């Protein structure tokens, strides 16, 4: 089923249809949150909040075909909320404890070819992209959507998405050049 | 194929619009052209680096189950947190009747409220830390593991990151399902058999103990001693 059919079914109370949407975009939303929050623990909590918020507010989605783009905008708000929550923590001991927990749970890259430091560089590179470039990169690399499909879910022209993706890729390639395979 | 054509196909790789025949043709060209081969390698590296560095530790299906559980009518409280503070549950009091003791579990109905109508395996929940979900074999709904959880052949358990479940297998051992792991309870005549689908399982068995096996996608582990751990990546 495509996103339009799933959103429509979810609105009618079909939670399993919403579950398919969660399964389809979980990795993408987590990736955005990891890039913005810096650790997987907070990112997965933010992702969970994102999907719960989306479920509660499905009636507010105007174009069912653009569910993914709408979901990513909710995810950004949830990440901003998470940042604000962190800033409110004034207890130094609690902060120290949180950072220890975060460091302990901060997963090294599962890619055996990347060190933890390199994985941090990758996350920083994605986090440094503007929202429009970040969207297309995450939907392409995490959700595996083609530029044609990305254009549908973001409500843009395929040519625009293609240009944005190629520019974003060029930026990422430059930032990862230090440890990427050589181009001859 | 010349490099100009190959470059357009590499762009198609990035766009996700490359067909299988086009990919084959590109690969054939790359066997003879180091420059294009390097560009392909660089593209694949960047894509995998992004995917791996921003990856989730939680399987999508685990996250889906947790989120659906939180959206369900039976949950009126605050949303479940995948990384919640530890929950310690009291052990249930069910006797393990395994195959070697002559107990046979038949097919059973799973009414809408999720209760089981046929005798269940006597497996106690000895400890549950964080979030672990379980699902009866013929049900579509996942439930949060609790002190009163009961199990039958075919049931599955999934632990979230930070979650851990310890099951007492009758009176002869403990099975610990580590974080981000998944197992199923399988039927086997005369032997208790657990299928580890993903993650890590540790078993601590008394000596002597009845036949105990753990199957994985790659093989079978038969308990000969008293302590062992199995991991499926």
């Amino acid at each position: 089923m495509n996103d339009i059919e799933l959103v429509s079914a979810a609105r009618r109370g079909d939670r399993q249809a919403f579950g398919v949407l969660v399964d389809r975009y979980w990795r993408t939303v987590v990736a955005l949150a990891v890039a913005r929050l810096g650790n997987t623990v907070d990112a997965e909590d933010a992702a969970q909040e994102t999907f719960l918020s989306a479920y509660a507010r499905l009636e507010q989605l105007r174009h069912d075909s653009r569910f993914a783009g709408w979901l990513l905008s909710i995810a950004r708000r949830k990440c901003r909320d998470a940042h604000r929550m962190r800033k409110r923590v004034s207890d130094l001991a609690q902060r120290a404890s949180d950072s220890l927990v975060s460091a302990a749970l901060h997963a090294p890259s599962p890619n055996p070819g990347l060190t933890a430091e390199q994985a941090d560089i990758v996350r920083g590179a994605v986090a440094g992209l503007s929202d429009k470039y970040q969207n297309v990169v995450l939907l392409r690399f995490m959700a595996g959507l083609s530029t044609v499909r990305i254009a549908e879910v973001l409500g843009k022209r395929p040519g625009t998405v293609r240009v944005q993706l190629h520019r974003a890729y060029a930026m990422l390639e430059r930032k990862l050049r230090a440890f990427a395979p050589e181009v001859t | 194929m010349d490099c100009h054509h190959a470059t357009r196909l590499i762009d198609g790789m990035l766009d996700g619009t490359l067909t299988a025949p086009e990919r084959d043709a590109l690969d054939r060209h790359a066997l003879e052209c180091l420059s294009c081969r390097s560009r392909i390698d660089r593209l694949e590296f960047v894509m995998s680096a992004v995917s791996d560095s921003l990856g989730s530790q939680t399987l999508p299906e685990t996250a889906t189950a947790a989120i659906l559980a939180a959206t369900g009518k039976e949950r009126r409280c605050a949303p479940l947190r995948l990384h919640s503070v530890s929950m310690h549950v009291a052990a249930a009091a069910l006797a393990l009747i395994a195959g070697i003791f002559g107990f046979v579990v038949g097919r059973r109905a799973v009414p809408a409220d999720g209760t089981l109508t046929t005798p269940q395996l006597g497996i106690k929940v000895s400890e549950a830390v964080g979030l672990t979900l379980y699902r009866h074999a013929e049900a579509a709904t996942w439930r949060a593991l609790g002190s009163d959880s009961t199990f039958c052949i075919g049931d599955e358990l999934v632990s979230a990151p930070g979650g851990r479940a310890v099951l007492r297998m009758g009176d002869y051992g403990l099975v610990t399902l580590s974080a981000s792991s998944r197992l199923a309870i399988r039927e086997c005549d005369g032997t208790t058999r657990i299928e580890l689908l993903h993650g890590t399982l540790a078993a601590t068995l008394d000596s002597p103990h009845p036949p105990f096996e753990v199957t994985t996608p790659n093989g079978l582990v038969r308990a000969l001693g008293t302590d062992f751990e199995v991991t499926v990546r």
Side-chain angles (χ1 to χ4, degrees):
Chain A
M1 291 172 77
N2 61 35
D3 286 4
I4 297 173
E5 292 165 336
L6 291 168
V7 170
S8 178
R11 278 212 192 88
R12 293 193 302 269
D14 184 347
R15 291 194 299 125
Q16 297 305 320
F18 188 75
V20 175
L21 290 168
V22 175
D23 192 77
R24 187 171 291 179
Y25 293 113
W26 171 254
R27 293 183 70 235
T28 305
V29 173
V30 169
L32 183 149
V34 169
R36 289 179 171 248
L37 298 176
N39 72 87
T40 314
V41 174
D42 290 345
E44 293 190 350
D45 281 346
Q48 187 185 22
E49 297 286 336
T50 296
F51 282 103
L52 291 173
S53 177
Y55 183 78
R57 298 163 50 198
L58 269 179
E59 298 303 321
Q60 298 178 20
L61 175 60
R62 278 179 281 186
H63 302 284
D64 292 358
S65 62
R66 301 181 191 174
F67 174 80
W70 179 69
L71 192 67
L72 293 179
S73 66
I74 295 175
R76 288 195 170 85
R77 283 198 293 277
K78 293 299 177 184
C79 290
R80 280 197 293 271
D81 292 345
H83 269 304
R84 280 192 220 111
M85 283 291 290
R86 280 191 207 167
K87 286 179 182 173
R88 282 194 206 119
V89 176
S90 59
D91 185 274
L92 290 175
Q94 183 63 50
R95 268 194 224 159
S97 172
D98 283 350
S99 66
L100 283 173
V101 171
S102 178
L105 292 176
H106 185 95
S109 171
N111 185 330
L114 286 182
T115 64
E117 185 181 355
Q118 289 170 342
D120 271 345
I121 293 173
V122 175
R123 292 183 195 114
V126 175
L129 297 173
S130 67
D131 288 357
K132 64 181 180 183
Y133 291 143
Q134 209 175 73
N135 279 352
V136 295
V137 164
L138 294 178
L139 288 170
R140 175 72 191 100
F141 292 178
M142 303 305 295
L145 302 184
S146 69
T147 49
V148 174
R149 276 284 291 133
I150 293 171
E152 289 172 11
V153 303
L154 295 180
K156 297 185 177 184
R157 291 182 299 184
T160 302
V161 170
R162 195 167 175 275
V163 168
Q164 289 175 348
L165 177 63
H166 284 249
R167 284 180 184 162
Y169 170 71
M171 293 180 207
L172 291 174
E173 188 191 18
R174 270 198 303 276
K175 291 188 178 178
L176 307 188
R177 192 163 289 170
F179 50 91
E182 289 297 319
V183 175
T184 59
Chain B
M1 180 189 301
D2 60 21
C3 290
H4 177 71
H5 186 193
T7 296
R8 288 197 291 113
L9 293 185
I10 294 173
D11 287 344
M13 273 182 67
L14 176 56
D15 295 336
T17 56
L18 205 65
T19 65
E22 288 175 332
R23 181 61 202 250
D24 290 341
L26 181 60
D27 286 340
R28 285 195 297 274
H29 172 78
L31 287 174
E32 300 169 356
C33 178
L34 187 57
S35 175
C36 288
R37 177 74 257 166
S38 296
R39 290 192 60 206
I40 294 170
D41 289 345
R42 177 68 68 95
L43 172 56
E44 290 177 338
F45 171 81
V46 172
M47 292 179 73
S48 69
V50 170
S51 176
D52 292 342
S53 300
L54 300 178
S56 170
Q57 292 184 12
T58 301
L59 296 173
E61 54 196 354
T62 304
T64 299
I67 289 166
L68 289 185
T71 59
K73 289 180 180 177
E74 68 272 18
R75 301 200 66 89
R76 301 268 181 215
C77 57
L80 286 173
R81 296 189 68 82
L82 288 172
H83 301 286
S84 60
V85 177
S86 305
M87 300 183 290
H88 294 286
V89 295
L94 294 172
L96 173 64
I97 306 175
I100 65 168
F101 298 114
F103 182 84
V104 176
V105 176
R107 307 292 284 182
R108 75 281 187 214
V110 182
D113 64 358
T115 57
L116 298 169
T117 59
T118 56
Q120 300 98 51
L121 289 173
I123 299 178
K124 300 179 182 180
V125 176
S126 179
E127 183 182 352
V129 175
L131 176 65
T132 297
L133 302 173
Y134 74 103
R135 176 175 66 180
H136 296 308
E138 292 177 351
T141 305
W142 290 90
R143 294 172 175 272
L145 191 72
S147 59
D148 58 350
S149 300
T150 57
F151 307 98
C152 289
I153 297 295
D155 290 357
E156 292 186 23
L157 283 80
V158 175
S159 59
R164 188 179 78 247
V166 183
L167 306 177
R168 171 153 285 282
M169 313 300 287
D171 59 357
Y172 69 84
L174 295 172
V175 167
T176 300
L177 184 67
S178 299
S180 300
S181 302
R182 182 171 184 167
L183 67 78
I185 304 170
R186 299 298 183 209
E187 182 172 20
C188 180
D189 51 349
T191 302
T192 300
R193 178 174 286 178
I194 304 284
E195 181 178 5
L196 181 63
L197 299 161
H198 179 82
T200 300
L201 173 154
T204 302
L205 308 175
D206 297 337
S207 179
H209 58 77
F212 184 92
E213 296 176 347
V214 177
T215 62
T216 74
N218 300 315
L220 168 71
V221 177
R222 183 171 289 120
L224 299 178
T226 56
D227 287 277
F228 66 91
E229 186 176 281
V230 182
T231 295
V232 174
R233 298 188 191 280

